Amino acid sequence: MSAEDHANGTASDRADTAAEAAALERLNANLVRMDELTKRLVAALSQRRGADHGLQGPGVDLYAKAMAAYWAEMASNPGKLFEQQVGYWGQALRHAMEAQTALASGKPVPAPDDQPKDRRFANPLWQEHPYYNFLKQQYQISASAIRDTVAGLEGLEAADKRRVEFFSQQIVDLFAPTNFLATNPEAMQKAVETEGDSLVKGLENLVRDIEANQGDWLVTLSDPDAFQIGGNIATTEGSVVYRNRMFELIQYAPTTEKVRAVPVVLFPPWINKFYILDLKPQNSLIKWIVDQGYTLFVVSWVNPDASHSDVDFGTYVDEGFLTAIDTVKAITGQSQVNAIGYCIAGTTLAATLALMSRRGDESVRSATFFTTLADFEDPGEMGVFLGEDFVEGIARESAAKGYLDKFFMGRTFSYLRSNDLVYGPAIRSYMLGEAPPAFDLLYWNGDGTNLPGPMVTEYLRRLCNDNELATTGFDLLGEAGLTLADVQVPLCDIACETDHIAHWRGAWQTARKFGAKDKTFILSQSGHIAGIVNPPSKKKYGHYTNDDMKLATPEDWFAGAIFHEGSWWPRWEEWLRGRSGRQVAARAPGGPDHPVLQAAPGSYVLPKGRAA
């Protein structure tokens, strides 16, 4: 070896040694950082609300019913259950033998895989690597066996059966191999490639979430610093023209010289905030309505705290809906308004209209309902959370503070789509160490609100579980026995085909029970949010129509429905235009008796502690 070669080799060795030392130093620094974060995590977990808070999951009664049904079937039909067990063990053992044979052959190929496609296992290693493919197939075999066993249970009432299916599926989803570091190839691969840095960042994200939620876990879905309400979301020009303890009323500035005489007042749900309808100009329903030549008012609900511990359902009707309608009439000088209610606000609008009808109040000329259930005979997927064990837990939790903390509702809705809104984001955040994305819809989804204790308990018990408004009658503000049949105003009902909160068949049944003779029902493609926030410019989701509302079932209605490409917005606007009167000069926000209080989006919509 020449002196030059020796020198080059020595320099290369020194470079390798330096790189190894640097890598070891980074690894040690990451280990130190993980130790610090672990201590913070333990401290954060010690702040947890405690095991005595009201909401703990399904009560022991549900488990007892499920076990009783299982053992009753074991006694009456043991052959069926033995057949299920033998089928499961046979499939699992056969796959284990095939996997062992594949490994013994010395070829890194997985056993034959005929399991259904699952996007959780999209990483190629789940298919190509024998070990990870074995884990995936064994999980899917076990998951199918559990689902089949639960589906075959007899002797349970329909509501209990649905709850057992839902909560057993939650357990199945929880134990997916993707949810654990040692059995997630993508997470392990990234940890090696980043010398543990991805795990440090993931632990930082986990500690941040635990600390932000008082020791409980709720994954952050969107970058909390990426958006500013009134800055880059909720920017449509308008003014707050009225405020009480329940809401701020926003009147939006006109963009046309002429507007329709009858104003529009929109009541959004108070479980989240109104700016889902005004995320950005391109998909803002609020801006679009204004641009079509309407005077639009939007209610921005207060985020309740302990000072709202007296607020019940009637308070929302009296100090919310009726007050807003009267204020809009006073500002515009009109005797009638066109009202819109979204989700829970649609249910409340239905009760309000029944009350107004009974009182002879004709202030509402027409009503539009977005994704609204007011007949809860079949509550759909949400029914799993309407058992008395959950309602009683909510009552205990809200009684202690006067309100139900937004944490609980946020987590409840997330578990209706746990793989998309819980485990998937958790994997990306905690195991891959990724920062939450800057996604306006997910930012809104995480910007929840509290609920007044008396209101939420009354709503769940009387309107949902007892279904009073659709059956025996609902007592409200001194009027007894109000029902959906009391709603007589012309109405347009928009439901969404894949809505997991207010399923469209229940919305159709609700519309059918309204007493109005003038009814229009539109079914949009997509879900609870995307089906409503569906601007025409996107040309993304179509919709269905069928004028026959006397059919016996929603399936009959759908069978005869006509599909239309594109958004339902223009079709609805045409319907609304025919009930909005002549054109008049555009109205500037406010008036002599209702001066502008501040610019939209107001202060109630802002996070606590950041009000203007």
Side-chain angles (χ1 to χ4, degrees):
M1 179 184 294
S2 67
E4 182 179 355
D5 290 340
H6 178 74
N8 289 337
T10 302
S12 176
D13 291 342
R14 285 199 299 268
D16 290 343
T17 301
E20 291 173 0
L24 183 60
E25 184 177 353
R26 287 193 297 272
L27 180 59
N28 287 334
N30 282 334
L31 290 173
V32 171
R33 179 62 178 149
M34 289 178 72
D35 182 62
E36 295 171 352
L37 288 167
T38 300
K39 292 175 182 177
R40 275 180 59 193
L41 179 61
V42 171
L45 289 170
S46 69
Q47 303 301 313
R48 191 169 182 266
R49 292 169 175 86
D52 59 341
H53 68 61
L55 298 177
Q56 293 294 318
V60 294
D61 184 51
L62 181 65
Y63 296 121
K65 289 178 180 178
M67 290 305 298
Y70 180 84
W71 287 113
E73 190 160 349
M74 173 68 86
S76 64
N77 190 5
K80 174 183 175 183
L81 294 178
F82 281 130
E83 183 180 351
Q84 289 176 337
Q85 288 294 311
V86 170
Y88 164 62
W89 285 112
Q91 189 178 9
L93 287 172
R94 183 170 59 255
H95 170 251
M97 294 291 290
E98 290 172 347
Q100 186 176 11
T101 301
L103 287 171
S105 69
K107 298 178 181 179
V109 295
D113 186 351
D114 58 357
Q115 296 298 320
K117 298 297 182 183
D118 187 329
R119 60 182 177 178
R120 289 176 294 179
F121 303 107
N123 189 292
L125 284 172
W126 289 111
Q127 290 297 117
E128 299 167 0
H129 194 287
Y131 170 69
Y132 289 116
N133 184 265
F134 172 76
L135 290 177
K136 180 192 75 122
Q137 290 203 56
Q138 285 291 320
Y139 166 75
Q140 290 182 314
I141 290 169
S142 298
S144 295
I146 293 171
R147 282 192 290 267
D148 291 344
T149 300
V150 172
L153 282 178
E154 298 177 359
L156 286 173
E157 293 183 5
D160 289 330
K161 179 75 172 292
R162 182 179 293 175
R163 297 185 78 203
V164 171
E165 289 175 341
F166 176 82
F167 289 111
S168 62
Q169 185 61 45
Q170 293 301 310
I171 296 172
V172 168
D173 290 340
L174 170 64
F175 284 102
T178 49
N179 294 341
F180 300 90
L181 177 62
T183 54
N184 186 316
E186 187 176 7
M188 292 292 286
Q189 188 175 41
K190 188 168 184 179
V192 172
E193 291 173 351
T194 63
E195 296 164 344
D197 189 57
S198 61
L199 299 182
V200 173
K201 291 178 179 176
L203 189 54
E204 288 174 342
N205 292 341
L206 176 61
V207 171
R208 175 204 62 212
D209 288 346
I210 297 291
E211 289 177 339
N213 290 287
Q214 300 173 265
D216 276 307
W217 171 56
L218 189 66
V219 64
T220 298
L221 299 177
S222 174
D223 182 354
D225 300 318
F227 300 99
Q228 181 183 1
I229 299 172
N232 56 357
I233 51 176
T235 60
T236 299
E237 183 182 356
S239 303
V240 176
V241 294
Y242 177 84
R243 178 187 293 125
N244 65 13
R245 70 168 183 150
M246 295 301 298
F247 71 94
E248 290 179 331
L249 184 65
I250 300 171
Q251 181 180 358
Y252 285 91
T255 58
T256 56
E257 292 184 1
K258 299 282 188 179
V259 296
R260 294 289 167 177
V262 180
V264 178
V265 56
L266 192 159
F267 297 97
W270 51 86
I271 293 175
N272 285 92
K273 297 179 181 178
F274 80 88
Y275 65 86
I276 183 59
L277 301 174
D278 192 30
L279 287 176
K280 52 193 173 188
Q282 298 92 322
N283 65 359
S284 171
L285 178 60
I286 287 175
K287 183 179 185 301
W288 189 86
I289 292 173
V290 172
D291 288 345
Q292 307 315 301
Y294 294 90
T295 302
L296 177 64
F297 294 81
V298 173
V299 167
S300 174
W301 299 104
V302 72
N303 188 359
D305 55 27
S307 68
H308 295 84
S309 62
D310 64 316
V311 170
D312 59 11
F313 187 81
T315 310
Y316 272 89
V317 173
D318 188 24
E319 298 181 32
F321 284 71
L322 295 177
T323 299
I325 291 169
D326 286 343
T327 304
V328 170
K329 288 164 53 182
I331 291 174
T332 61
Q334 293 292 308
S335 61
Q336 289 185 308
V337 306
N338 288 318
I340 304 171
Y342 191 172
C343 191
I344 187 175
T347 310
T348 310
L349 176 60
T352 303
L353 291 171
L355 174 72
M356 296 173 74
S357 176
R358 189 71 65 84
R359 290 178 172 178
D361 185 343
E362 299 181 351
S363 296
V364 175
R365 188 165 185 173
S366 76
T368 298
F369 298 93
F370 295 165
T371 63
T372 294
L373 289 186
D375 177 2
F376 290 90
E377 180 180 0
D378 176 9
E381 292 184 56
M382 279 299 297
V384 299
F385 295 113
L386 295 177
E388 182 55 30
D389 47 2
F390 271 94
V391 177
E392 180 58 32
I394 287 172
R396 289 196 303 270
E397 175 67 24
S398 58
K401 301 172 70 172
Y403 63 92
L404 183 68
D405 192 281
K406 64 181 182 180
F407 167 83
F408 296 106
M409 291 304 296
R411 189 163 64 175
T412 296
F413 283 117
S414 292
Y415 275 95
L416 287 174
R417 291 291 181 268
S418 58
N419 288 323
D420 294 330
L421 297 176
V422 179
Y423 302 124
I427 290 168
R428 292 189 292 273
S429 183
Y430 307 146
M431 287 200 277
L432 300 180
E434 297 177 2
F439 189 3
D440 53 5
L441 178 59
L442 291 180
Y443 177 87
W444 168 84
N445 188 76
D447 188 17
T449 58
N450 305 322
L451 297 175
M455 183 285 299
V456 68
T457 304
E458 182 180 12
Y459 181 85
L460 293 175
R461 282 208 169 111
R462 296 182 58 200
L463 287 167
C464 296
N465 284 350
D466 295 340
N467 203 20
E468 291 181 10
L469 191 59
T471 56
T472 58
F474 182 66
D475 298 344
L476 179 64
L477 299 178
E479 295 291 341
L482 301 174
T483 69
L484 298 178
D486 289 314
V487 178
Q488 299 290 331
V489 301
L491 62 91
C492 184
D493 199 316
I494 294 96
C496 298
E497 190 175 10
T498 59
D499 194 331
H500 62 290
I501 295 174
H503 67 119
W504 80 266
R505 291 173 177 82
W508 185 89
Q509 293 285 12
T510 296
R512 192 167 179 269
K513 286 193 175 182
F514 284 130
K517 295 180 180 179
D518 182 355
K519 300 178 188 178
T520 297
F521 188 82
I522 299 172
L523 179 62
S524 174
Q525 290 183 313
S526 196
H528 193 72
I529 301 301
I532 296 299
V533 183
N534 182 24
S537 60
K538 292 288 186 182
K539 299 180 181 179
K540 193 170 185 180
Y541 301 118
H543 60 281
Y544 301 86
T545 61
N546 184 345
D547 293 336
D548 190 351
M549 288 299 294
K550 295 181 180 179
L551 295 168
T553 69
E555 289 77 16
D556 292 338
W557 180 92
F558 188 77
I562 300 171
F563 178 73
H564 308 271
E565 296 284 352
S567 172
W568 55 268
W569 290 10
R571 184 177 302 278
W572 168 74
E573 190 277 324
E574 182 180 0
W575 177 91
L576 181 67
R577 193 189 320 144
R579 294 156 179 83
S580 298
R582 61 189 179 87
Q583 289 188 318
V584 299
R587 306 173 175 108
D593 298 324
H594 295 86
V596 169
L597 303 179
Q598 70 179 110
S603 58
Y604 281 5
V605 72
L606 300 178
K608 290 284 187 180
R610 290 175 56 186

